Amino acid sequence: MDEMNQEMSEMPNVSVGDVLTGKVVKVEEKQVLVDIGYKVEGIVPISELSNLHVEKASDIVNEGDELQLKVKKMDDEEIVLSKRAVDAETAWEDLEHKLEVGEVFEAEVNDIVKGGLVVDVGLRGFIPASLVETYYVEDFNDYKGKTLKLKVVELDREQNRVILSHSAVVEDENEARKQSLLQGLEPGQVLEGVVQRITDFGAFVDIGGMDGLVHISQLAHEHVEKAADVVEEGQHINVKVLSVDRDNERISLSLKDTLPGPWDQIEDKIRQGDVLEGTVRRLVNFGAFIELLPGVEGLVHISQISKRHIGSPQEVLEENQTVKVKVLDVNEDEKRISLSIKELEEDQSRAEVEQYTRGNDDEGGFSLGDVIGDKLNKLK
């Protein structure tokens, strides 16, 4: 009797609401038996093991585990305990702190439900579909078992509501990258980017966390009617930074400046003495500018436009007219090409004279002067 009384006196004084430490002695399918030093073993029903749905108790605990448990109900023959209640109280305090300081933490996606994802944060945490990513996700099946970085965006103890967001973390990370990029950018840098959007006035290119604009005038050395004629969405291109407006977060870029210029190695493409076809682009008092290649123009000086004296280029030429020209000189360093229309005419006249002369020499009896009269005088 004395031993029994001693054992009774050593037993803990247990009341509903107490938090105890117990050791798992048996794991059954739908409940767990725990030794808490009381006269009977405590029972943790499967519903009290976790805030999430559990199929088997062994999915949560193993024999020998020590657990913090809250007394839910008791009588002389049975004491019902809850791991979930202790976890929830600790979780609420932890989540309230995370919400207050904006802490980022990780959690594994346990389940996919209508409207979003469920994670275990000591409580049932819910990530609405709209807060999973910064973009629309059609199928969430791949997210089960995936670990996500999260922030708490809403807590309500009375409603037992825990709303979490992964997209908020992504947005913060993107903003940090953007600011870092803005501070590090300098005009003249050449970066690799990806074409994100094409508009009437150019293309927006992602250069590593922020979009910059390549204006349509900076897409190519030649005139561009539509940006889509030069680039396409998703294309990887190299771009040069033209300017950075940190206050308004605007970046101007150039694709053209990363490409070989139309004048590069021009002396290999156009040589002195070549006869080329070009288009009259501009008429000025001292001559005409002829486009020979996209972005490459040469000058026909007014003295080289016609064999006869003219007062202005407009007497002979008009803009957008196609003409043949002879190359007099090419200077790649100075980006200058001298052209002549007059020399072509003179070359043609000489060729006609030579051909006519050869023909009459074969026939005999006619002198050159008899045939062409004063034509030779005009060539002198």
Side-chain angles (χ1 to χ4, degrees), residues 325-366:
V325 293
K326 183 177 181 178
V327 179
L328 301 181
D329 183 58
V330 181
N331 189 318
E332 182 176 332
D333 294 335
E334 297 181 10
K335 295 183 178 179
R336 188 181 68 227
I337 300 176
S338 298
L339 305 171
S340 176
I341 298 173
K342 182 177 77 172
E343 281 206 11
L344 274 185
E345 294 177 351
E346 291 176 347
D347 290 346
Q348 184 177 3
S349 295
R350 289 192 184 94
E352 290 174 355
V353 169
E354 291 175 2
Q355 182 179 6
Y356 200 88
T357 301
R358 285 196 302 270
N360 283 283
D361 283 346
D362 292 341
E363 295 175 9
F366 291 97

Side-chain angles (χ1 to χ4, degrees), residues 160-172:
N160 199 36
R161 192 211 313 265
V162 178
I163 304 299
L164 308 171
S165 173
H166 174 61
S167 61
V169 177
V170 175
E171 288 171 357
D172 289 347

Side-chain angles (χ1 to χ4, degrees), residues 242-308:
L242 298 180
S243 65
V244 182
D245 183 345
R246 294 182 175 87
D247 293 335
N248 294 303
E249 299 184 350
R250 292 177 181 171
I251 304 170
S252 295
L253 305 170
S254 174
L255 172 61
K256 176 176 72 175
D257 286 357
T258 68
L259 302 174
W263 285 89
D264 291 352
Q265 299 179 325
I266 194 65
E267 292 174 350
D268 293 335
K269 305 171 189 174
I270 298 176
R271 296 179 177 85
Q272 183 179 0
D274 286 351
V275 176
L276 305 171
E277 191 173 85
T279 304
V280 179
R281 290 304 183 196
R282 287 176 295 145
L283 296 174
V284 293
N285 291 335
F286 55 85
F289 286 94
I290 312 297
E291 184 179 55
L292 304 173
L293 296 171
V296 176
E297 292 182 354
L299 173 65
V300 181
H301 190 269
I302 190 169
S303 63
Q304 293 293 328
I305 290 178
S306 176
K307 291 189 296 181
R308 64 182 176 85

Side-chain angles (χ1 to χ4, degrees), residues 27-32 44-46 49 54-62:
V27 179
E28 298 177 353
E29 185 175 0
K30 297 300 181 182
Q31 66 179 17
V32 174
V44 186
I46 193 170
L49 281 174
V54 179
E55 291 290 338
K56 297 182 297 181
S58 58
D59 293 338
I60 302 296
V61 296
N62 298 304

Side-chain angles (χ1 to χ4, degrees), residues 118-343:
V118 175
V119 298
D120 183 5
V121 288
L123 298 164
R124 183 182 186 275
F126 182 61
I127 311 171
S130 60
L131 298 181
V132 175
E133 299 290 358
T134 56
Y135 51 87
Y136 174 73
V137 179
E138 185 173 355
D139 186 358
F140 288 102
N141 286 326
D142 291 341
Y143 282 80
K144 188 166 185 178
K146 188 176 181 180
T147 298
L148 299 177
K149 290 182 178 180
L150 302 167
K151 289 180 74 172
V152 181
V153 294
E154 183 183 342
L155 291 177
D156 188 332
R157 280 208 189 201
E158 290 185 4
Q159 299 293 325
N160 199 36
R161 192 211 313 265
V162 178
I163 304 299
L164 308 171
S165 173
H166 174 61
S167 61
V169 177
V170 175
E171 288 171 357
D172 289 347
E173 291 175 344
N174 289 343
E175 181 63 23
R177 279 195 297 270
K178 183 172 74 172
Q179 292 305 319
S180 176
L181 179 66
L182 270 174
Q183 297 308 313
L185 281 180
E186 294 295 339
Q189 288 178 301
V190 176
L191 308 168
E192 182 178 350
V194 181
V195 179
Q196 296 295 313
R197 288 183 294 130
I198 295 176
T199 67
D200 292 339
F201 52 86
F204 286 94
V205 179
D206 180 1
I207 53 174
M210 187 174 181
D211 287 355
L213 173 64
V214 180
H215 190 267
I216 194 166
S217 63
Q218 292 295 326
L219 283 171
H221 293 286
E222 63 272 14
H223 176 70
V224 176
E225 291 288 343
K226 296 186 297 181
D229 292 338
V230 180
V231 294
E232 59 184 23
E233 290 184 4
Q235 182 180 354
H236 289 253
I237 59 174
N238 288 328
V239 289
K240 181 180 178 180
V241 179
L242 298 180
S243 65
V244 182
D245 183 345
R246 294 182 175 87
D247 293 335
N248 294 303
E249 299 184 350
R250 292 177 181 171
I251 304 170
S252 295
L253 305 170
S254 174
L255 172 61
K256 176 176 72 175
D257 286 357
T258 68
L259 302 174
W263 285 89
D264 291 352
Q265 299 179 325
I266 194 65
E267 292 174 350
D268 293 335
K269 305 171 189 174
I270 298 176
R271 296 179 177 85
Q272 183 179 0
D274 286 351
V275 176
L276 305 171
E277 191 173 85
T279 304
V280 179
R281 290 304 183 196
R282 287 176 295 145
L283 296 174
V284 293
N285 291 335
F286 55 85
F289 286 94
I290 312 297
E291 184 179 55
L292 304 173
L293 296 171
V296 176
E297 292 182 354
L299 173 65
V300 181
H301 190 269
I302 190 169
S303 63
Q304 293 293 328
I305 290 178
S306 176
K307 291 189 296 181
R308 64 182 176 85
H309 175 74
I310 59 173
S312 69
Q314 285 85 349
E315 294 179 26
V316 178
L317 301 172
E318 59 184 27
E319 290 186 358
N320 297 320
Q321 179 183 349
T322 300
V323 294
K324 283 189 175 181
V325 293
K326 183 177 181 178
V327 179
L328 301 181
D329 183 58
V330 181
N331 189 318
E332 182 176 332
D333 294 335
E334 297 181 10
K335 295 183 178 179
R336 188 181 68 227
I337 300 176
S338 298
L339 305 171
S340 176
I341 298 173
K342 182 177 77 172
E343 281 206 11

